[in-house]
């Protein structure tokens, strides 16, 4: 009983989909299984699991998750309202509780090309719906700070329909942060230092402690679970299929237990707090609540034995009790194959600005380097790990944007993906133009995917649903994803999740320096910058 901070031996009586009675028997609960409310991920992009919602649900319930607060921002950038409708409709084919938001920033900025634009009118249509629970992360924090009429209109619509507003403001502080919070923005999942999180909490924001496949902030922020329990939630944000196969919010619970946090504080952060904040129709293990709960073996290992949603057993003894069905494959790919010739970069300056990727982080740093030049062309410098990076617009024929990046680590071969936050154009990196063109063309031919080209060998994980998601089940997709990542690591990369890291190198709203389809971008000053320059 995480509302009253009690553990006792008793029984739960279910009538239809509700909890009819909870009967206390005694305080003696040693060597017994435990019944507790189902877990909630307070912020996730389902698309980043590379699974359609129905397949995501089949993995999530095995880890005790019964609901997610899901931002369909990724598919909305590709397909607009139709993409959001697809996610809702596909999720409704399962008993799992998907709670979707209205994406506030499609496109994320005007500095890149997306496949769709969601207008104020469409935001209002979404927010009117009972199926939309909140306004998704307001990534355009400069628009909030500098009073963009369009941004202000979206924030006012969320207030009009009494829907919470999610934030996205990495590194923002001081007076600018105060203005951002006063605009009505209630959460942030981008904190990567305790100092930043505490400043936001002190201004009234709730901090979502994130541990996903790319960004991992739990170690830095976990102390908040005890010190500011009412102001924190747990989330994954982006979780690849192999990681989802291994665990979900249950792994964060186990990690928090290892730091000796109270089991009640931990569970409140991933059950009560998101349910209350987002007004979710998820049971909290009380009489007359929906019968959403899990059974675990003990409070140390936290192994999930069974998962119930609305009184229906959806997972038990390694068996998922519901089916998924063949789905539509909505997509948008409007370009033809490329040649290696369009990837050439003539030298025009003595120095270059280079993106420095950081393993496990979405942020980057910038370094100034002397480029490697051959026949008047800038080329990848494998010895110094300064590799060519390309972003190619997949919605219309145009010249690619090209830059250079450090810390990817490839010694040979090239990789490409159509998962490139937030507009999901094609992003690629590698050691030579021949394989770079091959890797990009693999993605174009399949209308989405993750590819590797290495001399005569080619590998592909197809992602035919919006260029973001697989048509396979979670286990098969996770296996294919592990295989393609393994190949990349064999080619020299030391990154834990090379494709995930690469996919965020086009996310312009995360500082310090990124590459979009229109060029190299300064995420602090919000402006394009020249890649080459002279002293």
């Amino acid at each position: 009983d995480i509302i009253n901070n009690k553990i006792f031996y008793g029984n739960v009586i279910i009538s239809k989909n509700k909890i009819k009675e909870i009967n206390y028997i005694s305080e003696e609960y040693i060597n017994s299984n435990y019944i507790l409310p189902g877990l909630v991920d307070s912020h996730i992009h389902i698309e980043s699991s590379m699974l359609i919602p129905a397949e995501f649900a089949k993995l999530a319930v095995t880890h005790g998750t019964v609901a997610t607060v899901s931002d369909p921002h990724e598919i909305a950038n590709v397909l607009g309202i139709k993409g959001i409708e697809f996610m809702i409709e596909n999720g409704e084919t399962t008993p799992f509780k998907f709670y979707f938001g209205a994406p506030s920033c499609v496109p994320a900025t005007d500095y890149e090309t997306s496949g769709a634009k969601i207008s104020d009118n469409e935001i209002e249509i979404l927010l009117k719906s009972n199926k939309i629970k909140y306004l998704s992360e307001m990534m355009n924090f400069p628009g909030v700070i500098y009073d963009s009429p369009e941004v202000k209109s979206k924030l006012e619509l969320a207030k009009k329909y009494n829907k919470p507003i999610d934030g996205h403001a990495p590194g923002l502080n001081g007076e600018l942060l105060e203005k951002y919070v006063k605009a009505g923005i209630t959460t942030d999942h981008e904190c990567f230092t305790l100092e930043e999180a505490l400043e936001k909490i002190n201004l009234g924001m709730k901090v979502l402690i994130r541990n996903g496949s790319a960004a991992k902030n739990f170690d830095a922020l976990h102390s908040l679970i005890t010190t500011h329990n009412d102001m924190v939630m747990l989330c994954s944000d982006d979780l690849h299929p192999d990681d989802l196969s291994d665990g979900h919010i249950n792994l964060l619970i186990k990690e928090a237990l290892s730091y000796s946090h109270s089991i009640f504080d931990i569970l409140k952060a991933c059950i009560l707090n998101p349910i209350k904040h987002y007004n979710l129709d998820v049971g909290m293990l009380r009489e007359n609540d929906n019968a959403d709960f899990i059974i675990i073996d003990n409070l140390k290992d936290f192994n999930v034995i069974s998962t119930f949603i609305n009184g229906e057993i959806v997972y038990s003894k390694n068996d998922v009790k519901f089916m998924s069905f063949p789905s539509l494959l909505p997509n948008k790919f409007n370009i033809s194959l490329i040649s290696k010739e369009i990837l050439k970069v003539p030298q025009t300056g003595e120095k270059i600005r280079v993106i420095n990727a950081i393993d496990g982080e979405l942020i980057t740093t910038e370094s100034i380097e002397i480029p490697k030049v051959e026949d008047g062309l800038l080329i990848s410098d494998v010895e110094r790990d300064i590799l060519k990076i390309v972003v190619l617009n997949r919605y219309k024929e145009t010249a690619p944007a090209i830059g250079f990046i450090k810390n990817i680590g490839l010694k040979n071969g090239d990789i490409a993906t159509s998962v490139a936050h937030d507009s999901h154009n094609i992003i690629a990196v590698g050691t030579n133009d021949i394989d770079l063109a091959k890797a990009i063309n693999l993605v174009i031919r399949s209308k989405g995917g993750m590819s590797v080209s290495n001399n005569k060998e080619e590998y592909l994980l197809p992602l035919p649903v919006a260029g973001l998601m697989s048509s396979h089940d979670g286990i098969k997709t996770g296996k294919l994803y592990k295989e393609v990542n393994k190949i990349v690591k064999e080619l020299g990369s030391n990154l834990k999740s090379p494709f995930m890291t690469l996919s965020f190198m086009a996310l312009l709203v995360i500082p310090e320096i990124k590459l979009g389809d229109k060029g190299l971008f300064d995420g602090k000053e919000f402006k394009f910058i020249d890649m080459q320059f002279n002293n």
Side-chain angles (χ1 to χ4, degrees), residues 162-312:
N162 198 29
K163 303 287 175 80
I165 304 169
D166 266 8
H168 172 114
L172 197 65
N173 59 15
E175 292 181 1
L176 297 181
L177 175 61
E178 285 188 43
K179 185 169 183 180
Y180 186 76
V181 176
K182 286 179 180 178
I185 297 164
T186 61
T187 69
D188 189 84
H189 59 274
E190 294 290 343
C191 298
F192 47 88
T193 69
L194 186 60
E195 180 183 20
E196 178 184 358
L198 288 171
E199 182 178 5
K200 289 174 177 175
I201 286 173
N202 289 334
L203 289 171
M205 293 188 94
K206 291 178 180 175
V207 168
L208 279 54
I209 301 174
R210 171 178 60 185
N211 243 44
S213 292
K216 299 181 183 297
N217 311 123
F218 188 88
D219 287 345
L221 305 179
H222 73 83
S223 62
L224 298 170
I225 294 171
T226 294
T227 62
H228 295 78
N229 184 250
D230 290 341
M231 299 298 289
V232 297
M233 303 177 229
L234 305 184
C235 78
S236 54
D237 195 6
D238 293 286
L239 199 61
H240 271 185
D242 55 334
D243 290 328
L244 181 59
S245 295
D246 293 338
H248 193 195
I249 298 299
N250 61 320
L251 296 184
L252 292 185
I253 294 171
K254 290 172 72 171
E255 191 165 354
L257 287 169
S258 74
Y259 283 107
S260 300
H261 292 290
S262 157
I263 184 64
F264 295 108
D265 285 345
I266 298 166
L267 294 177
K268 284 175 183 175
C270 60
I271 300 172
L272 299 192
N273 292 353
I275 290 173
K276 292 178 179 179
H277 183 80
Y278 294 102
N279 192 29
L280 307 181
D281 189 24
V282 178
M284 294 183 280
L285 202 58
R286 300 176 300 185
E287 292 183 355
N288 301 315
D289 272 6
N290 288 331
D292 305 320
F293 58 88
I294 62 177
I295 300 174
I296 64 170
D297 58 353
N298 62 72
L299 296 177
K300 180 181 178 182
D301 300 315
F302 217 87
N303 296 313
V304 177
I305 298 170
S306 301
T307 302
F308 291 75
I309 300 177
N310 287 338
E312 176 185 349

Side-chain angles (χ1 to χ4, degrees), residues 337-338 343 392 410 413-418 426-430 432-446 448-455 457-460 499 502:
L337 302 181
I338 67 164
L343 302 178
L392 179 67
L410 292 173
D414 299 68
I415 64 176
T417 176
S418 55
I426 298 172
I427 188 166
V429 66
N432 66 87
D433 289 351
I434 294 174
D435 282 320
L436 200 53
K438 286 181 179 178
I440 292 170
N441 284 335
L442 280 171
V443 173
I444 295 172
R445 283 194 192 96
S446 63
M450 297 180 168
S451 68
V452 183
S453 176
N454 176 31
N455 298 324
E457 296 180 301
E458 296 178 346
Y459 307 88
L460 176 71
F499 280 103
L502 179 60

Side-chain angles (χ1 to χ4, degrees), residues 452 454 459 482-492:
V452 183
N454 176 31
Y459 307 88
K482 279 184 177 179
E483 288 176 357
V484 78
N485 259 320
K486 181 173 179 287
I487 292 163
V488 177
K489 292 177 182 181
E490 288 172 351
L491 294 177

Side-chain angles (χ1 to χ4, degrees), residues 50-51 55 59 241-242 245 461-462 470-483:
M50 288 172 259
L51 305 174
E55 295 298 341
L59 285 183
D242 55 334
S245 295
L461 166 57
S470 171
S471 57
H472 298 305
D473 64 63
I475 299 300
K476 183 172 182 179
T477 302
K479 182 180 178 182
L480 290 172
Y481 179 67
K482 279 184 177 179
E483 288 176 357

